[in-house]
Amino acid sequence: MIKRVLSLNAMDKIIRETGLRVADDAKEALADILQEKAKELALTAKRYAEHAGRRTITAKDIQLATKDQE
């Protein structure tokens, strides 16, 4: 199991925007999926930054990583 860094409260707020109630397991599932996706994006963005000779990931790296994963 991965260490969760995204709060279940935040997941509750996101899901409640659908207008429905939220089961606890739904909040946990969304947090786990979003966290794993974020990690994948961060690793792809890291490659872009390193390719550019930088040690800092920029917003542009994240945007490129997002498009790369589509």
Side-chain angles (χ1 to χ4, degrees), residues 4-52:
R4 186 173 293 127
V5 295
L6 299 173
S7 76
L8 296 182
N9 188 42
M11 300 305 103
D12 183 77
K13 289 178 182 179
I14 291 169
I15 297 172
R16 281 187 186 272
E17 289 182 9
T18 67
L20 298 176
R21 292 177 294 164
V22 184
D24 288 340
D25 62 344
K27 293 183 264 188
E28 293 171 3
L30 182 60
D32 292 344
I33 291 166
L34 290 179
Q35 186 166 313
E36 186 60 35
K37 184 67 174 174
K39 184 177 179 181
E40 292 170 10
L41 286 171
L43 290 172
T44 301
K46 176 186 175 197
R47 287 195 296 275
Y48 282 115
E50 289 174 339
H51 179 74

